């Protein structure tokens, strides 16, 4: 393609709307244009990148025997009502765009396709002989994000590959899950990306095991904890680790102490001259279920540690049926104002003990009576600990479970792991932290959706049982931007060769120079003819402008038909390293072919 | 792909929901599944067909220098308000799905992309030096159809190729328009379809010239009129022709006659013993503009002819600004009940003359005073004609324009052409009729959208002027089904080789027969290795079931590893003709390769 015939417009200034480097660069280099909040047009250069990413994804999926299809974006509300997700997705979380058609029927714009594919499986799969089956698609998805941002990173319309597999048994699911782990690793490697597979939380999708694929980049919204031996990596939301060692408590005697103005842990430790590892801190959360039911939760955890709210969310979600709900609308530490509305008397905040009396709560309306008590595993081993006395300006010291305080029977891992923690698999390994951009996620769903939608099959024994499912996603448009976030410099984008919109760009420094034009035109024809995707900058612009644009757009190889022509050569500059080569005109095609093949292998 | 590993389910019975053969066959053969009214899942076989159609479309578009991109499906209401189409598309016609996001902003799901692309052009195109530019995309579109039907023919979610070109002058637009005519003809020919390019009405998209591409098929919703010399073809909505000859009127004397009970033309002609060609009939229409303004229209046309309501609609649309509106909501012949609400006294229906007095109309409310009078060209030459006397049971005979009746000064072509009419370009040619399925439409838009959205550029003279636009659509999913509608038999689909999901299917009649399996497996590997896309029917099914399924699914070549194996041969059956060949196993690949290449050339 000739730049003179292309809608090629670059910007010199960073656009005000963009916050992170990749977003700025894609806008400046003319890859994308914003049409609405979180909604972008992919201009021809971007579309070439997205097609290359999609093709790599497609090839790796096809190689596993998965079959490509295309499911509707418009989805009837009925299917989501069957799975129980309609209210959560359209109202409570409001993540799904909903609309009403001219017959007054409710429909949603698919953020994901578990319901649709399960309905199709219900309709078509009768027998174990038809299993396993794995269908996937590459398609625009929609999410009405609360805060669309960072360009294609968190958009409201974005391209996903999503696949769904159906199995007769767990072993078959495990096999496909392992195939996907392998296929995903191939995809991201082939795209030229530095990535890490990490254990992940399954979130609203549900199911058992799940794993995320993270592109490592400073601007990543996710934090990953990993060990250098390569044996452990997890999203911080999911990560487990050994807690830092605790110093044995010096308070051998049980006692209630006046501890004035020690609402914060820091002040308390200073006042008592103790370590946070000696303290059991007790935090109140409010959970609201989708049927409106509210529960106050009391979490006890060792003083130096933080609660991982995703872990807490998951524990509370499991209890939803106990309270007549399906899902959680929110889990938060209630504000003092909210607390005053919900409790009969002011809570002794900062001085709460693990045995805080249930009668603080008015059992009226939608609020459950009593506290739902959780103890993080780290408090179990504590002896002679310090904790709140349930009275302002007073703490207890030298307390023990089973003596002064009953231990909650809900003992679970609620702790937020952090860099520096020791690894569970090998305490000599210390967790390190990196930031990442999630571009892939694979799930073992189990029977959550097949049970809800009644998608069953007849097994070898002749019984009718629910299909076992897996699901597997890749954020195609997000991946394309993540590649930029991982690879740019002050002059612009540095595309990996595999997903660059073009392999090479020929800059004719002076288009009034007949020789320069002739060599440029000939090379342009020759390179494209041998499959080297080449742009020709034949615009009436100064050489400096052309070089700047080529760097900004990030084409891997820039060919300049300039001064070296007199010795029968052209200059070839590698974008990533800025290394310059003088290459004989007749050898340019062969040399580039070799470099490109090497980069793609 | 092995059928044993594919989600391969065929139905023996016609599904109740399907009305036309192609729809029934696509459902029965497992190509599509209905998810909601007018919304279908494309299963793997269908998706292969759609990818092949898309690739042909893409190759032909790219060959013209057009560049592929992808524009958002979610479109902000503001852009459609700028073009003046928001109200018409979401309310009056209601063809656009509209929704409100969590910020309470209105958005629509794109049925078309003139607004979005014009906004991008406005933003990026500054100078004539950047022109021409042609961008296209292949994408799901949405239309909230009043009556979704015929499967993919008239769906609510469907795949389109839509392209938009921008030009500095008319000549450049004409050039791209001609390129598209050529590219479209190539696409449809390469897809293996019998089609016709016809003159078309521009409809709600607007603009000057437009041309449709019709796949000829009995079930087509469109009627095409054409001449056998190949020089004329038009959608009946747009067609013009010479009217049938009129017999000179016998009523040489002007007279008002009592003509009791002659409300219909038949009865009148019987009573007066005259021909309908001697009569000027006068029909009342009611047009409602998008600002609520209503106008009663009086159309005079020769008695034997019909009004083409699309032509009338277009004439009335041109007058919208006169009445303060942008577009038309409806044009209809008002019911007697509506007439009684709108007129001061009952209209003498069946006896109306071209001079019906304006004072029938109450000028109150939103109704304009007076009739808007149109004369079809066919009435101009009539002499001594018969027409209504504006009095029940009375007609006028022997009337003449300019003597007893003033001729409206709005003389336009409003006549519906029909098969049997003589052609305008050569009166010796008679128009013939065929039914077609519209799969392509190209438009010369002019400056309609660029003016509305203020998309201007600086021309060579330094003036800031609106961009000149063209737009070009292909119904990709509709085309795929139209191919079936054009090519099937009692046993199933007969895909053209170019868009068949697979080229060949190997049926192993008896999978307990080791030799049959071995030959089948070897051929399966060999054919796929040389690029012949081959299915292997390795299911535990009777041979008859396999043959029936292969015919139903419509794969061009069926290979049977059956009886002829003992002479070292397999049977190869051509699906279209059912011709059977015995071919040596070693020659199957070469023979098929040759047939496929011939079919694709």
């Amino acid at each position: 393609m000739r730049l003179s015939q292309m809608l090629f417009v670059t910007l010199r200034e960073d656009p005000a709307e963009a916050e992170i480097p990749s977003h700025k660069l894609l806008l400046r280099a003319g890859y994308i244009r914003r049409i609405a909040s979180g909604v972008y047009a992919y201009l021809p250069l971007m579309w070439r990148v997205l097609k290359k990413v999609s093709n790599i994804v497609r090839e790796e999926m096809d190689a596993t025997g998965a079959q490509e299809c295309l499911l509707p974006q418009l989805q009837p509300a009925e299917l989501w009502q069957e799975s129980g997700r309609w209210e959560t997705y359209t109202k409570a979380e409001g993540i799904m765009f909903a609309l009403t058609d001219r017959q007054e029927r409710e429909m949603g714009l698919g953020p994901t396709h578990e319901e649709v594919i399960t309905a199709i499986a219900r309709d078509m799969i009768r027998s174990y002989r038809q299993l396993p089956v794995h269908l996937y698609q590459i398609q625009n998805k929609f999410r009405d994000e609360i805060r669309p941002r960072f360009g294609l990173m968190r958009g409201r319309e974005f391209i996903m590959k999503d696949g769904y597999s159906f199995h007769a048994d767990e072993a078959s699911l495990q096999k496909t899950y392992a195939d996907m782990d392998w296929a995903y690793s191939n995809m991201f490697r082939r795209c030229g990306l530095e990535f890490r597979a990490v254990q992940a939380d399954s979130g609203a999708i549900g199911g058992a095991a799940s794993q995320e694929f993270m592109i490592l980049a400073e601007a990543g919204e996710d934090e990953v904890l990993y060990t250098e031996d390569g044996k452990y990596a997890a999203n911080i939301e999911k990560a487990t680790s050994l807690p830092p060692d605790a110093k044995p408590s010096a308070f051998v005697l049980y006692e209630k102490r006046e501890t004035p103005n020690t609402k914060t842990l820091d002040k308390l430790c200073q006042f008592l001259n103790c370590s946070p590892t000696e303290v059991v801190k007790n935090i109140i959360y409010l959970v609201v279920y989708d049927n409106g039911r509210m529960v106050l939760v009391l979490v006890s955890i060792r003083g130096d540690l933080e609660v991982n709210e995703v872990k807490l969310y998951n524990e509370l979600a499991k209890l939803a049926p106990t309270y007549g709900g399906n899902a959680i609308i929110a889990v938060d530490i209630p504000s003092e104002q909210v607390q005053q509305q919900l409790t009969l008397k002011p809570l002794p905040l900062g001085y709460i003990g693990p045995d805080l009396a249930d009668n603080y709560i008015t059992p009226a309306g939608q609020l459950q009576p009593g506290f739902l008590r959780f103890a993080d595993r780290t408090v179990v081993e504590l002896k002679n600990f310090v904790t709140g006395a349930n009275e302002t300006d007073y703490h207890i010291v030298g307390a023990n479970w089973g003596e002064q305080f009953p231990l909650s029977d809900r003992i679970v891992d609620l702790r937020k792991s952090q860099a520096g923690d020791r690894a569970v698999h090998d305490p000599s390994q210390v967790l390190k932290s990196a930031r990442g951009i999630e571009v892939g996620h694979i799930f073992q769903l189990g029977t959550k959706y097949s049970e809800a939608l009644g998608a069953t099959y007849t097994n070898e024994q002749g019984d009718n049982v629910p299909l076992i499912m897996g699901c597997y996603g890749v954020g195609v448009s997000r991946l394309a931007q993540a590649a930029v976030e991982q690879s740019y410099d002050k002059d612009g984008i540095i595309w990996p060769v595999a997903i660059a919109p073009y392999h090479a760009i020929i800059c004719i420094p002076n288009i009034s120079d007949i020789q320069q034009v002739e060599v440029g035109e000939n090379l342009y024809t020759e390179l494209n003819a041998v499959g080297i995707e080449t742009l020709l900058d034949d615009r009436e612009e100064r050489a400096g402008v052309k070089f700047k644009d080529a760097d900004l757009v990030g084409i891997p190889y820039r060919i300049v038909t300039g001064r070296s022509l007199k010795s029968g050569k052209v200059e070839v500059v590698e974008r990533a390293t800025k290394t310059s080569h003088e290459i004989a005109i007749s050898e340019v095609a062969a040399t580039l072919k070799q470099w490109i093949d090497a980069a793609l292998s």
Side-chain angles (χ1 to χ4, degrees), chain A residues 108-180:
Chain A
L109 289 183
T112 179
H113 276 77
E114 284 81 8
E115 281 77 359
V116 170
I117 196 80
T118 307
I120 290 173
R122 169 174 70 186
D123 190 23
M124 296 183 77
I125 300 176
R126 294 272 165 273
S127 157
Y128 70 93
R129 277 188 296 260
Q130 293 171 277
L131 298 173
V133 165
H134 185 174
L135 295 178
Y136 77 96
Q137 57 176 348
I138 299 174
Q139 181 195 53
N140 260 348
K141 298 276 191 258
F142 302 92
R143 282 176 68 95
D144 195 0
E145 292 284 352
I146 297 173
R147 271 190 66 194
R149 56 184 175 155
F150 303 149
L152 313 185
M153 291 288 191
R154 192 165 289 284
R156 299 200 294 169
E157 179 175 335
F158 52 95
I159 303 174
M160 285 276 295
K161 186 286 292 180
D162 51 328
Y164 306 88
S165 66
F166 297 90
H167 308 271
D169 54 47
E170 275 295 329
S172 169
L173 170 61
Q174 300 291 348
K175 159 93 173 60
T176 299
Y177 187 78
D179 286 350
M180 283 302 106

Side-chain angles (χ1 to χ4, degrees), chain A residues 172-193:
Chain A
S172 169
L173 170 61
Q174 300 291 348
K175 159 93 173 60
T176 299
Y177 187 78
D179 286 350
M180 283 302 106
D181 187 357
W182 173 253
Y184 275 37
S185 298
N186 284 344
M187 284 173 204
F188 304 133
R189 184 186 48 71
R190 287 182 58 192
C191 286
L193 300 168

Side-chain angles (χ1 to χ4, degrees), chain A residues 19-39:
Chain A
E19 294 154 272
I20 57 172
S22 55
H23 187 196
K24 289 177 191 166
L25 289 170
L26 289 176
L27 284 167
R28 278 187 52 203
Y31 282 84
I32 57 175
R33 289 271 154 168
R34 182 179 174 282
I35 301 299
S37 168
V39 177

Side-chain angles (χ1 to χ4, degrees), chain A residues 21-22 25-27 29 31 483-484 487-496 550-555 575-576:
Chain A
S22 55
L25 289 170
L26 289 176
L27 284 167
Y31 282 84
V484 177
S487 176
Y488 66 91
D489 64 16
K490 66 177 183 11
D491 297 320
I493 299 169
I494 304 173
W495 286 111
D551 280 354
L552 178 60
V553 171
I555 307 298
R575 173 66 186 87

